[in-house]
Amino acid sequence: MKKFNMIVKEETLDNGLHVILVKKPGYYRSLFMLAVDAGGFDIEQSYHNLHLHHRSGCAHFLEHQMFRLHGQDITDQFAQMQASTNAFTTYNKTAYYFQTTADIEAPLHLLFDFVEELDIDTQSVNKEKGIILSEYDMYQQQPEQRLFKETWKSLYVEHPLRYDVLGTPEDIAHMRVEDLKTFYHYNYDPSKLTLVGITGQDIDKIMDIIKENQIRHPSSLNGKVKRVIHDEPTTCARSDFSCTMDISTPFVCIGYKQKPETDIHLAIQKDQCIQMALDAAMTSLNPCYQSWLDEEIMTNINGAECDIHIDHSAVLFYAQTHYPQAYIKLVEKMSKQLVQGIDPTIFQAIKARALAQMIRGFDSFEDLAVDLLEAHISGYDHWQQYEMISKLSVEQINTYLKTLDLDHPTVTTIQPKNM
């Protein structure tokens, strides 16, 4: 099928591997991303009558360990094939990918080989602990990272969002080979893998290469491994949190806990609508924005984001500010105005901005691959997003804005140590 001047081929193989191939005619570059449907959220899982409890940070720890095959670092092997490789872990997925302008067959086989074959031992795991603990400490010293981390911990009582993707220092320090092997067995099965390929090459030929490769990787699971998310109270874990760091200007984040949506398609639409309204209210589209900067109520480090999903939902306002209390009052006032709806005269501007952003995403290999992965893992059609935004009306946005819950806020503040 053809989508936005791209040819798309999508298929689920006999072993459960889901393949999405996108041909961009005239391009010499190729990117292939192989993702596991498991990330920081996957601390508790169920498989038939078996309840699995993993250490926090298992997904991220395993990502670090996976770049070994037969005792060798595979990064050099990719380089010899004129390909670069990397990986990342989010709350709901772990992805491994390579990019190249050369032939893709050899690096594609290598991508499958190192992801679908575990090669770890006690020595490599123990060595990795220090590396990941150092990474954890590094993020702890970054004010924006710390700001969001503490906000999620304040918002959620039960949801795994309260844990860092890296896990807790205690779980990282006590990670064992057995822990990682168990996590790997239940989450790296082909039936839980998705491959996205974006290339200018023949995708029919590439699909044949993938099918031939996957013959030697049968599924070992006979059912679904499900993520367990416990019921979350409407109240926040804590109403406020404050700490000090080596910074010159304070940071503030105000989070409003929302009720999750029951349907993923409604969640995606609501997320898009509320984000558009936030962009209208808290960016240069708002005539007051420049005065907020001039009065130092906020610096250039600021933003407003929503995260509406079927198991968690929240709206966040954040900024580096010389006047934290003034910023908090500004957000409280702006939030109440948002519930009343947005000005119809600005609607077309934010709609055009949203459509332009999506088109730019189609032109970025990395963004398109991640968006396609996210859509497949979450259960919606990414290609329909453009049509959904095109059909949005200001009345729809205002209807969603009226559902915003401002009764469950939390405030996170990071102050300079000398204040």
Side-chain angles (χ1 to χ4, degrees):
M1 57 182 171
K2 198 166 186 179
K3 300 284 186 180
F4 300 95
N5 297 319
M6 295 174 280
I7 302 169
V8 181
K9 190 178 184 70
E10 191 164 353
E11 187 174 344
T12 300
L13 306 190
D14 291 341
N15 64 355
L17 172 70
H18 191 77
V19 182
I20 305 170
L21 298 179
V22 179
K23 181 175 182 179
K24 293 177 74 72
Y27 280 76
Y28 291 97
R29 183 178 168 214
S30 297
L31 180 146
F32 285 83
M33 189 173 287
L34 185 59
V36 181
D37 180 10
F41 284 165
D42 294 276
I43 298 174
E44 292 187 57
Q45 296 179 317
S46 65
Y47 177 66
H48 294 300
N49 295 324
L50 184 63
H51 185 84
L52 305 168
H53 195 289
H54 307 291
R55 293 185 188 275
S56 63
C58 255
H60 176 262
F61 201 114
L62 200 52
E63 176 216 314
H64 278 236
Q65 288 284 284
M66 290 303 298
F67 282 84
R68 282 165 42 101
L69 185 64
H70 306 147
Q72 301 295 317
D73 187 332
I74 57 89
T75 305
D76 292 337
Q77 296 179 51
F78 275 107
Q80 291 170 10
M81 299 171 183
Q82 303 178 56
S84 61
T85 185
N86 213 329
F88 62 87
T89 303
T90 68
Y91 278 111
N92 69 343
K93 60 184 172 291
T94 308
Y96 305 87
Y97 62 97
F98 74 84
Q99 304 179 63
T100 185
T101 55
D103 185 68
I104 59 94
E105 184 168 358
L108 183 55
H109 283 304
L110 181 57
L111 179 67
F112 281 125
D113 288 345
F114 88 85
V115 172
E116 294 186 281
E117 182 177 340
L118 183 62
D119 181 11
I120 60 172
D121 54 37
T122 300
Q123 183 179 0
S124 67
V125 170
N126 288 338
K127 180 180 178 182
E128 204 67 49
K129 290 178 184 179
I131 297 172
I132 297 177
L133 286 170
S134 296
E135 184 180 357
Y136 183 94
D137 290 339
M138 178 185 70
Y139 287 135
Q140 281 288 94
Q141 300 306 314
Q142 296 179 4
E144 290 176 74
Q145 292 276 349
R146 183 78 183 278
L147 186 71
F148 289 118
K149 183 189 297 187
E150 297 297 346
T151 298
W152 292 126
K153 286 171 68 175
S154 292
L155 284 169
Y156 289 99
V157 178
E158 297 288 345
H159 199 283
L161 258 172
R162 68 190 192 278
Y163 296 113
D164 194 287
V165 170
L166 274 65
T168 66
E170 294 76 19
D171 279 343
I172 296 168
H174 292 94
M175 195 70 72
R176 304 172 304 164
V177 170
E178 292 78 10
D179 299 323
L180 297 173
K181 284 184 175 179
T182 299
F183 191 89
Y184 181 89
H185 174 74
Y186 287 103
N187 292 289
Y188 278 67
D189 188 84
S191 62
K192 291 200 68 177
L193 294 177
T194 301
L195 177 75
V196 174
I198 303 173
T199 180
Q201 300 186 31
D202 185 342
I203 57 176
D204 290 324
K205 179 182 176 182
I206 294 170
M207 184 67 82
D208 290 339
I209 293 171
I210 294 168
K211 288 179 177 179
E212 182 180 354
N213 177 283
Q214 288 301 292
I215 291 174
R216 63 177 188 268
H217 295 291
S219 173
S220 62
L221 299 178
N222 61 356
K224 285 200 170 186
V225 178
K226 299 179 181 178
R227 181 180 299 143
V228 175
I229 303 290
H230 295 288
D231 291 339
E232 178 70 29
T234 55
T235 55
C236 297
R238 55 192 186 191
S239 59
D240 62 85
F241 175 84
S242 183
C243 65
T244 60
M245 293 182 67
D246 286 324
I247 55 176
S248 58
T249 307
F251 284 81
V252 177
C253 182
I254 299 96
Y256 291 98
K257 193 173 186 178
Q258 306 295 308
K259 183 179 179 181
E261 283 297 317
T262 55
D263 178 83
I264 185 61
H265 299 93
L266 288 176
I268 296 301
Q269 187 174 68
K270 183 175 181 179
D271 185 271
Q272 182 67 59
C273 286
I274 293 177
Q275 188 60 58
M276 289 169 69
L278 292 173
D279 290 344
M282 303 300 290
T283 69
S284 56
L285 289 172
N286 188 326
C288 298
Y289 182 78
Q290 186 58 48
S291 66
W292 298 337
L293 294 175
D294 295 341
E295 295 166 14
E296 298 186 329
I297 296 176
M298 62 174 69
T299 68
N300 287 322
I301 301 175
N302 70 83
E305 299 174 6
C306 64
D307 186 5
I308 310 298
H309 217 274
I310 57 174
D311 58 50
H312 68 278
S313 290
V315 176
L316 307 181
F317 298 83
Y318 60 92
Q320 185 182 42
T321 170
H322 291 274
Y323 304 104
Q325 290 305 314
Y327 179 73
I328 293 170
K329 289 181 179 179
L330 168 65
V331 169
E332 290 173 347
K333 178 181 178 181
M334 187 59 62
S335 300
K336 292 175 182 177
Q337 291 176 352
L338 273 176
V339 175
Q340 303 305 314
I342 63 170
D343 186 343
T345 59
I346 203 172
F347 169 68
Q348 291 302 327
I350 61 173
K351 184 175 178 177
R353 176 183 282 197
L355 289 170
Q357 184 178 1
M358 190 160 194
I359 291 172
R360 285 196 297 270
F362 289 149
D363 288 334
S364 167
F365 278 47
E366 294 88 345
D367 289 349
L368 181 56
V370 171
D371 288 343
L372 288 171
L373 280 175
E374 183 63 36
H376 176 68
I377 288 172
S378 297
Y380 62 92
D381 188 343
H382 177 64
W383 303 110
Q384 292 181 358
Q385 297 303 101
Y386 185 90
E387 184 179 357
M388 182 269 287
I389 298 172
S390 299
K391 293 180 177 180
L392 281 180
S393 66
V394 67
E395 289 78 16
Q396 283 177 291
I397 293 180
N398 288 340
T399 297
Y400 281 123
L401 288 173
K402 285 181 173 63
T403 69
L404 283 176
D405 182 357
L406 305 181
D407 294 333
H408 303 99
T410 182
V411 178
T412 304
T413 308
I414 301 179
Q415 297 278 6
K417 281 186 176 181
N418 59 356
M419 286 188 68

